[in-house]
Amino acid sequence: MNPPKRALAFLRWFCREDYLEEIEGDLTEIFVKQSQSSPHQAKWKFTWSVIRYFRPGFIRAFRNVNQSAYGMYISYFKIGWRNLLRNQGYSFINIFGLALGMTVAMLIGLWVYDELSYNTYHKNYDQIAQVWVGGTDPETQEIVGHIAVQQPAAFALKNNYSHYFKHVVLAWWPGDNTLSLGDRKFIRHGQFIEAASLEMFSLDMLQGSYNSLNDMHSIILSRSTAEAIFGKDDPMNKTLKIDNRMEVQVTGVYEDIPRNSKFGDLKFFAPWPLWVTVMPWIKQSETNWDNRSFNIYVQLQPGIQMEEANAAVYDFYFKNLPKDLLKQAEKWKGFMQLLPMNTWHLYSELKNGKPTTGRIVFVWLFGSAGGFVLLLACINFINLSTARSEKRAKETGVRKAVGSMKSQLVAQFLSESFLVVVVAFILAAGFTTLSLSWFNELADKDISIPFSNPVFWSIVMIFIFITGFMAGLYPAFYLSSFQPVKVLKGAFRSGRLAALPRKILVVVQYTVSVMLIIGTIVVYQQIQHARNRPAGYDRESMISFMMTDPAFKGKQEVARQELFNTGMVEEVAFSSSPLTQVWSSAGGFSWQGKDPAKDTDFDLCYVSHTFGEAVKWKLVQGKDFDLEHDYDSSAIIITESAAQYMNLDNPVGELITHEEDKIRYHIVGVVKDVIMGSPYEPVKQTFFIQNRYDYSNIHIRLKQGTGTAEAVAKVERVFKQIVPTASIDYRFADDAYSYKFSQEERIGKLSGIFAVLAIVISSLGLFGLASFVAEQRTKEMGIRKVLGASVANLWRMLSKDFIILVIISCGIAIPVAYYYMDLWLEKYTYHTGLSWWIFLVTVLGALTLTLLTVSFQAVRAAMMNPVNSLKSE
C-alpha cells in the first residue's frame, strides 16, 4: 500500500532537497508498518506528519522563480519608461492622444450611466407605472393617446382593480408655485398629489414619515428648499402659504431627489385634496368622463407582473364607462395601458401606442461616439508603434538571438503598452475631474466621479486592461515576429505591404471624424431651420409671467393702465395659457358644412381683446378683437390650420357651436399659425376665444428703444404696489421659445466637441506618422534634392499618400453619414434637408486640415540640407 499521493506531492514540493530523501524514507517506512493494522489511521498520520514538517528549516527557497518573474516585468517597465523618455515627441502624441480619448470615453461613460440609471433612485422602480389612454383615429387609423386621464378613472382603478394595484395616485401637473413665509417669497417647482405617493416613490424622509401628507393642510419640502426658507431653524410644524391662497403646515422634509429622476426638479409635495378646494371645477370633474386633465400613477401589488396588469386594464373603458359614452369608445377603440417607469425617459416616444424610442437614441449615439473616439486614440498608438518598428528591429533581433522567446517579447511590448495606458489614464482622470463641472453644465446633468465605489474601480481596471490590450496587441505580435538573422545582417525590410495596416487605420480614423463633423453640421442646421420657422407672433421685447396669486383677480385693467403710465410699455394682454404652451383642448364643436361623422379636436386659448396687438400676430382675414361690437363678447379668432381643418375657405362670419354647453362663437378673423407647442411638429388647429375672466398669464410688450433693465424694474414696482403679496417670476418670450431647442442644442454642442476631439486625435496621429515617414525618407529626399528636385516636388511627394487616404475616408463616410442623418431627421415632421454643401465643406475642411498637418513635417524635411542627410553614406 502506497502513502497518500497528495500529501506526498506536497512534501516533495516544499521540502529542501538535502532533507527530502531522508524524511520521505522515514515517513514511508512508518506508514507501511502502521497500514498493516489500520490503513485509514496510517494515511491520516502520514498526512499530519507531512504538515508538521511544513516549517522554517525544512521549506526550500522559492525566490528564484518568483523573483526572476518579478524582476523580468520590472525590467520591461524600465525599458518602456526609457523608451518614452528617449522619444519624447512620439511619447507625447501617444500619451496625450490616448488621454484625450480616455477622457471622452470616461465622460460619456458617466453620462450613459446617468441616463441608464434614470429613475432607479425609487426603490419600487420596477413596479411603478403611469396610466396612458389611447384609441385608434377613425380617419387615419393611427393609434393616438395621452397621459392626461379622466379623474373618475382613478376611482374605478382603486375600487375595481385593487388586487392588481397597491397604490393608485391622482396628481396634478407639476408647476411653479410661490411659497411665502411672512414677507419672504420663494418660487419653487412642486406638485399636488395624493398622500400614498410618498411611499410609492420611496422618498428619503429626513423628518416626518410617509404619512406626512395625510392632513389636507400639510406640505413636505426638499432639504434644499427647507434650508433656503428656514435656514438652520427646524422647519417642522411651521406655517407657509402657497400662492398666497393656501395655508399649509410643514409636516416633513425629504432628501433632494437626484436630477436623473422624473421628479428630480420637484422641491415640494402638497396634498391633492388641498388643490381640489381651490379649484372647484376639479371637484365637479370627479364624475366627468369627458374631462381628461389629470395624471394617474400606480404601483403594482407584490407578485403582479406589468404584463398581467396591462392585460387586465386594456378594456377598462368598456367595463367602466357610462352607457351613453360607450358608443364613442367603440368608435375610437379606446383602451388603457400602463407605461412602466423604466420607459418614461429612455423610451418616452410612442409609436402606435407602444414605447419605441426616446433618449435611448442619444445613449447609443454618444456611447458609440465615445467608443469611436477611444478607438481613434488606440489607432494612433498602434500606428506609431508599428511605424517605428524598424527602429526597434535590431533590439528585437538581439533579444531573440540570446534566447528570448516570442511570448517574452510579446509580454515586454504589452507591458510597455500598459505603461502608456496607465500614464494616459492618470492624465485622463485629471482632465475628467477638471472638466466635469463644465460638462455637467453643458449636458444639464449632476454627474460626479464615484471614487469611493468599488464597482467604479473594477470598471476602471477592466477599462485599462481592454484598452492596453487592444492598443498593444498588434504592435506586440508584429514586433516579436521579426527574424533575428535578417535583422542583424541588415537585410530586414518592412516590405510594401507593411504600411497597409497603418493606411487602413488612418482611413478608419478619418472616416469616423468626417461622420462626426457631418452629424454636427446637420444637427446645427436642423436647430436653425426650426428657429427660423415663422412663429406667428413677435417675440422681441415680450415678457410674461403667471398670475397665481388670487389678489390679481379684478385688478387686470388697473394693472394694465398703471403699466402704460410707466411710459415703458407698448401693450398688455392676458391669456389662459403661456405664449409657448397650450393648456387646454376640447372637441364637440360644430359648424355649417361639418361632416357629422368627423370628431373634432381643437387647442383652446382664452385671451383678452388686446392679445393680438400685444403679440403682434399676423391677420390673414377679418379683423382683430374689438370690444366696441356686441358680438365680440363671443368672438373667436382661428388659425389658418383650423380653417383648413374645418374646410372653410372664407370662415369670417361663420358660427361655431359647442354642442355640450350650446355656446355659440362668431368667427371675426383668421391669423397665421401661432407656434405654441413644439417647433418641430405641425401646428395644431387653435381657437383664440375672448374671455374676460379665465386668465392666468399676463403678457407685456415693452417699447422699442427702452432700456430692458429699467423697464423691468418699473414693471415690478407697479405690481408691488397693486398686488404686494404676489411674487413676479417673469420670463422673456425669446428665452421661453429658445428653451424648446435646449435638448437639440445640447446634442449639437456635445457632438461638435466630440467631432473636434476626434479631429485633434486623428491629426495628432497623422502628424506623428508624417514625422516618421519624413524621417524614414530623409536620405531619399537628400538624393532627390541633389538631383534637382524642388521643395514643392518633395512636399507633393510626401503629402500625396495622406491626401489619397483622406479622400478614401470621405468616400466611405459621406454615404454612411447621409443614411443615418436622414433617419434622424425623419423623426421630426418639420425638418431641414441634407444639402450638398454640407458634404462639400466637410471634405474640403478634412483635406485642408490634412494638408496643414502633413505639410509642416513635409516642408521641414524637404528644406533640410542634403549634406546632413547624406554625409554618413
Side-chain angles (χ1 to χ4, degrees), residues 537-762:
Y537 64 95
D538 184 4
R539 301 187 300 273
E540 189 176 354
S541 302
M542 282 288 294
I543 60 173
S544 304
F545 62 88
M546 289 186 62
M547 301 183 294
T548 55
D549 195 311
F552 276 105
K553 189 173 183 179
K555 297 181 180 178
Q556 287 94 337
E557 286 302 318
V558 175
R560 180 170 178 266
Q561 188 57 50
E562 288 298 322
L563 287 170
F564 281 134
N565 293 340
T566 63
M568 297 284 182
V569 173
E570 182 178 330
E571 188 54 90
V572 180
F574 305 91
S575 68
S576 61
S577 299
L579 283 176
T580 53
Q581 297 179 54
V582 177
W583 288 349
S584 180
S585 63
F589 290 98
S590 62
W591 58 90
Q592 188 174 2
K594 173 184 173 290
D595 182 356
K598 184 182 182 72
D599 289 310
T600 60
D601 183 25
F602 294 90
D603 280 346
L604 304 180
C605 185
Y606 298 96
V607 299
S608 65
H609 68 283
T610 57
F611 184 81
E613 294 179 25
V615 303
K616 295 187 177 180
W617 58 18
K618 307 292 190 293
L619 272 169
V620 178
Q621 294 184 36
K623 64 180 188 63
D624 211 332
F625 293 118
D626 185 357
L627 285 180
E628 294 180 2
H629 296 82
D630 292 337
Y631 60 72
D632 270 338
S633 59
S634 61
I636 185 173
I637 289 178
I638 68 175
T639 59
E640 282 186 308
S641 58
Q644 185 178 1
Y645 179 81
M646 299 165 71
N647 200 26
L648 296 175
D649 293 329
N650 297 296
V652 176
E654 294 285 342
L655 293 176
I656 300 175
T657 304
H658 191 260
E659 296 169 354
E660 183 178 349
D661 51 27
K662 305 304 179 185
I663 297 178
R664 301 178 72 189
Y665 298 100
H666 186 271
I667 300 177
V668 297
V670 180
V671 295
K672 289 280 188 182
D673 286 334
V674 177
I675 299 178
M676 302 179 78
S678 170
Y680 300 104
E681 300 299 326
V683 177
K684 188 178 176 182
Q685 52 274 8
T686 306
F687 288 167
F688 293 95
I689 303 173
Q690 183 174 285
N691 185 308
R692 300 185 185 182
Y693 310 105
D694 193 14
Y695 301 141
S696 57
N697 291 266
I698 181 170
H699 313 287
I700 304 167
R701 177 169 294 282
L702 305 178
K703 283 186 177 180
Q704 293 288 339
T706 58
T708 302
E710 182 185 0
V712 169
K714 289 189 175 182
V715 167
E716 288 180 337
R717 281 200 292 271
V718 167
F719 284 105
K720 283 181 180 178
Q721 293 172 1
I722 298 175
V723 191
T725 58
S727 180
I728 309 302
D729 182 28
Y730 64 86
R731 292 191 70 181
F732 282 88
D734 263 339
D735 294 339
Y737 192 77
S738 295
Y739 184 76
K740 295 176 178 289
F741 304 94
S742 57
Q743 178 171 291
E744 282 73 16
E745 284 182 336
R746 279 194 293 272
I747 295 166
K749 288 178 181 177
L750 288 172
S751 300
I753 290 167
F754 299 151
V756 168
L757 289 175
I759 285 292
V760 168
I761 293 170
S762 299

Side-chain angles (χ1 to χ4, degrees), residues 9-53:
F10 180 60
L11 176 67
R12 291 171 178 173
W13 175 73
F14 76 79
C15 189
R16 287 172 53 178
E17 292 181 0
D18 51 337
Y19 289 138
L20 178 60
E21 185 177 356
E22 183 181 350
I23 293 173
E24 184 178 343
D26 290 346
L27 292 180
T28 303
E29 185 179 347
I30 295 170
F31 172 78
V32 172
K33 289 180 180 179
Q34 291 180 344
S35 64
Q36 293 175 359
S37 57
S38 177
H40 183 73
Q41 190 176 10
K43 289 181 179 180
W44 277 108
K45 286 186 176 181
F46 183 90
T47 303
W48 176 244
S49 297
V50 169
I51 294 172
R52 289 178 62 192
Y53 276 110

Side-chain angles (χ1 to χ4, degrees), residues 83 87 90 94 380-399 409 412-413 416 472-484 486-488 492-502 768-769 771-773 775-776:
N83 281 326
N87 303 286
Y90 292 99
N94 259 344
N380 278 355
F381 180 87
I382 294 171
N383 267 347
L384 293 177
S385 297
T386 54
R388 294 188 60 79
S389 58
E390 290 187 35
K391 292 286 184 180
R392 302 191 66 181
K394 289 184 179 180
E395 175 194 341
T396 304
V398 171
R399 284 180 176 274
L409 292 170
Q412 176 191 338
F413 293 126
E416 293 179 15
L473 187 63
Y474 178 75
F477 280 96
Y478 180 71
L479 292 171
S480 61
S481 66
F482 295 161
Q483 296 181 16
K486 290 185 178 181
V487 170
L488 296 177
F492 172 78
R493 292 291 182 272
S494 57
R496 294 180 63 186
L497 296 179
L500 182 61
R502 295 198 293 274
L769 277 180
S771 175
F772 170 75
V773 171
E775 181 184 346
Q776 191 181 42

Side-chain angles (χ1 to χ4, degrees), residues 427-439 449:
L427 278 178
F431 291 159
T432 303
T433 303
L434 292 174
S435 61
L436 201 54
S437 59
W438 162 82
F439 182 78
I449 303 177

Side-chain angles (χ1 to χ4, degrees), residues 137-389:
D137 190 323
E139 295 183 11
T140 64
Q141 295 303 306
E142 180 183 359
I143 295 177
V144 294
H146 206 271
I147 56 173
V149 188
Q150 304 94 331
Q151 194 176 178
F155 306 139
L157 287 172
K158 289 179 182 179
N159 298 329
N160 303 333
Y161 297 83
S162 58
H163 51 295
Y164 289 104
F165 303 117
K166 181 178 181 180
H167 295 300
V168 177
V169 171
L170 262 171
W172 189 241
W173 305 87
D176 290 336
N177 299 85
T178 302
L179 304 181
S180 304
L181 179 65
D183 294 334
R184 300 168 63 207
K185 299 176 179 62
F186 304 85
I187 296 174
R188 293 293 185 271
H189 204 62
Q191 187 169 27
F192 290 85
I193 196 167
E194 289 189 303
S197 60
L198 307 190
E199 181 184 0
M200 184 167 76
F201 297 142
S202 58
L203 298 187
D204 182 7
M205 300 299 297
L206 303 177
Q207 292 179 272
S209 68
Y210 287 153
N211 298 318
S212 292
L213 286 185
N214 287 352
D215 185 88
M216 187 174 72
H217 294 283
S218 58
I219 188 174
I220 65 168
L221 307 174
S222 70
R223 178 184 54 79
S224 61
T225 300
E227 290 176 355
I229 297 176
F230 299 102
K232 295 182 179 179
D233 295 340
D234 185 3
M236 293 296 286
N237 301 317
K238 299 289 177 61
T239 300
L240 293 174
K241 275 192 173 183
I242 305 177
D243 295 337
N244 199 36
R245 55 178 169 172
M246 293 169 272
E247 193 169 280
V248 292
Q249 194 174 55
V250 179
T251 55
V253 177
Y254 63 92
E255 184 59 67
D256 289 72
I257 302 173
R259 288 182 67 179
N260 63 338
S261 165
K262 175 183 171 67
F263 308 100
D265 58 346
L266 296 183
K267 302 305 177 185
F268 75 87
F269 289 94
W272 173 257
L274 177 63
W275 187 242
V276 175
T277 61
V278 298
M279 293 289 179
W281 68 269
I282 295 180
K283 183 70 176 177
Q284 298 165 9
S285 299
E286 288 182 352
T287 58
N288 185 356
W289 286 90
D290 285 328
N291 189 332
R292 293 193 305 175
S293 301
F294 310 94
N295 290 157
I296 300 177
Y297 301 101
V298 299
Q299 180 185 340
L300 304 182
Q301 290 282 12
I304 299 295
Q305 300 299 315
M306 197 66 68
E307 295 78 8
E308 183 182 357
N310 254 324
V313 302
Y314 185 82
D315 58 354
F316 171 88
Y317 285 105
F318 294 99
K319 291 181 178 179
N320 295 277
L321 272 179
K323 292 182 179 180
D324 58 325
L325 298 176
L326 279 176
K327 185 176 180 180
Q328 183 73 1
E330 290 172 354
K331 179 181 178 181
W332 278 77
K333 301 176 185 176
F335 67 94
M336 176 183 286
Q337 69 171 340
L338 307 175
L339 298 180
M341 187 178 251
N342 57 22
T343 68
W344 293 359
H345 183 69
L346 295 178
Y347 299 93
S348 57
E349 296 178 18
L350 278 68
K351 185 175 183 180
N352 277 329
K354 297 297 180 185
T356 55
T357 185
R359 296 279 293 186
I360 191 65
V361 173
F362 303 130
V363 170
W364 282 108
L365 174 67
F366 290 139
S368 302
F372 278 130
V373 171
L374 181 59
L375 177 64
L376 299 184
C378 292
I379 287 174
N380 278 355
F381 180 87
I382 294 171
N383 267 347
L384 293 177
S385 297
T386 54
R388 294 188 60 79
S389 58

